[in-house]
Amino acid sequence: MNPQLDVFFSRPGTNKVIVEEIIKDIRGAKERILVAMAYFTDKDIWDELDKKALNEKKIVLNASDILRRENNQKKTLLLERSKGEDTVLLGTITKDNRGKDKSTHMHHKFLVIDDVVWVGSYNFTLSARDRHWENMIRIQNKQIADEFKKEFYNMFLLGKMFNGNNILTHEVCTECNHPIVDPFEHFVVQSEICSVYIKAEHMPEREFIGSTFSTTFHCENSPFNRNSFKGYDYEVCGCQEDNLVPILYSTYYDEGSESDLWGWNDFETKVTWYCPSCYMEEAKRQSSSLKEYIYNEDRHKEY
């Protein structure tokens, strides 16, 4: 089906047609709203996002803008509201040893509302609304929306993993100091769900005692790259995408005494590879019942 296109322009003055049309689509959303916005200071749009109750509502913001505001102690609506679990920061403020700027910026201006994509030059700022010459194109087409969703989910997942750390400079990974061709291919996100069963002296059968869900990320040049999962039985989520994310489902069995529960006699592991969208759904499902921790090397934080 050919996409339905509508073109909108913003000019200095009182005409707020772009904001009004975007808010209209936000209010009519039925399944999801995904926002990738470099600069976001328009309280009216953020309030509409806050009020809209949906199963999926995620935002990727430009980390360098947030960090700059924090460093300047410039408290803004954006700074205060950028800490939610469905909001991530992507980008860095970085200089090399000669003082040359090597920062990366999440400079997108798009949002996906169900099967509608808004994309153009327009940031969600008061300046864009009141003073700038801007444009936005509204595209209603599922295939195009799916392409933007794919890019968004990859960005969101990396933003979640980076957690504001300067892992990525202009073109070099700070973990391995190698050039990066594509961040989605270079960085490896992996999770493991460990389920534990024991059979102690007072237990006639194996009894389930608990599970943990842990997530790590590494770069492709670490020993824990995608090749390290080749020896396991595996399944795939069914989405025909690149840069799949593995989850290891490990089950440990112990036949020891009650006082020595960790001498494993048997274990089994399988791997399921997920596209970023399916991965986040599975992580959300697991996190609803398990305590999840994300860690990277010596950094450890509750997710």
Side-chain angles (χ1 to χ4, degrees):
M1 188 176 91
N2 292 329
Q4 177 183 332
L5 301 178
D6 297 289
V7 181
F8 298 90
F9 297 98
S10 174
R11 309 176 185 96
T14 59
N15 188 340
K16 307 296 187 292
V17 61
I18 291 180
V19 173
E20 292 168 358
E21 292 297 323
I22 287 175
I23 287 177
K24 188 187 301 182
D25 275 352
I26 290 174
R27 290 175 177 174
K30 293 179 173 58
E31 296 181 8
R32 70 179 59 81
I33 298 176
L34 311 175
V35 180
M37 194 58 52
Y39 304 100
F40 197 151
T41 58
D42 191 320
K43 184 178 183 297
D44 291 340
I45 296 178
W46 203 295
D47 285 345
E48 291 294 334
L49 290 171
D50 272 349
K51 290 188 294 186
K52 186 64 181 180
L54 290 171
N55 288 332
E56 185 176 24
K57 189 168 55 176
K58 293 181 171 66
I59 302 172
V60 176
L61 297 173
N62 181 18
S64 59
D65 182 51
I66 301 297
L67 296 173
R68 175 174 57 83
R69 295 174 189 275
E70 286 184 329
N71 292 339
N72 293 342
Q73 297 183 333
K74 183 180 179 181
K75 301 300 180 183
T76 64
L77 162 88
L78 179 61
L79 183 57
E80 296 303 317
R81 296 191 181 185
S82 63
K83 312 299 183 183
E85 63 177 86
D86 289 329
T87 302
V88 302
L89 309 180
L90 191 62
T92 59
I93 295 180
T94 311
K95 293 184 179 181
D96 63 17
N97 53 15
R98 294 174 295 179
K100 186 177 180 180
D101 184 21
K102 292 292 185 179
S103 300
T104 65
H105 302 282
M106 200 297 297
H107 212 248
H108 282 301
K109 297 101 175 168
F110 74 79
L111 68 156
V112 180
I113 302 175
D114 298 334
D115 290 336
V116 171
V117 176
W118 282 87
V119 61
S121 69
Y122 190 97
N123 280 298
F124 287 176
T125 63
L126 302 181
S127 298
R129 188 183 70 182
D130 297 334
R131 298 188 286 111
H132 288 177
W133 304 78
E134 307 279 2
N135 71 83
M136 286 294 265
I137 300 176
R138 184 185 186 273
I139 308 168
Q140 186 165 358
N141 181 271
K142 185 179 186 304
Q143 183 178 357
I144 294 175
D146 285 346
E147 289 299 313
F148 275 87
K149 281 160 52 181
K150 185 189 302 184
E151 182 72 12
F152 181 91
Y153 288 134
N154 275 301
M155 292 193 303
F156 189 91
L157 188 56
L158 280 190
K160 205 72 163 172
M161 297 298 105
F162 290 171
N163 189 38
N165 293 297
N166 284 347
I167 307 300
L168 171 65
T169 62
H170 174 58
E171 56 186 20
V172 175
C173 170
T174 60
E175 298 289 311
C176 67
N177 293 318
H178 282 74
I180 295 175
V181 177
D182 184 341
F184 297 153
E185 296 177 358
H186 185 85
F187 293 102
V188 182
V189 179
Q190 63 191 66
S191 294
E192 184 173 14
I193 298 169
C194 296
S195 300
V196 178
Y197 293 80
I198 64 170
K199 183 179 179 182
E201 295 174 354
H202 68 291
M203 298 177 182
E205 297 181 356
R206 286 172 172 168
E207 180 175 313
F208 174 71
I209 65 170
S211 294
T212 60
F213 181 28
S214 61
T215 303
T216 63
F217 84 95
H218 310 278
C219 66
E220 186 63 30
N221 294 305
S222 77
F224 304 101
N225 58 32
R226 291 179 175 86
N227 292 329
S228 62
F229 301 101
K230 286 185 174 179
Y232 296 109
D233 293 334
Y234 71 92
E235 298 176 354
V236 294
C237 69
C239 299
Q240 301 299 314
E241 295 189 15
D242 299 324
N243 307 322
L244 298 178
V245 182
I247 296 183
L248 283 75
Y249 295 83
S250 300
T251 305
Y252 293 87
Y253 303 98
D254 180 74
E255 304 288 346
S257 66
E258 186 176 6
S259 61
D260 182 21
L261 300 181
W262 311 116
W264 307 118
N265 300 100
D266 192 18
F267 72 92
E268 57 188 37
T269 299
K270 70 173 184 176
V271 178
T272 300
W273 292 85
Y274 294 94
C275 68
S277 175
C278 291
Y279 170 84
M280 286 189 289
E281 287 299 316
E282 176 68 0
K284 182 178 180 180
R285 188 177 72 83
Q286 296 292 340
S287 298
S288 65
S289 58
L290 304 175
K291 193 68 171 177
E292 179 186 3
Y293 290 92
I294 280 187
Y295 58 90
N296 177 45
E297 295 183 351
D298 59 343
R299 296 189 293 272
H300 189 288
K301 66 180 283 290
E302 186 174 336
Y303 181 17

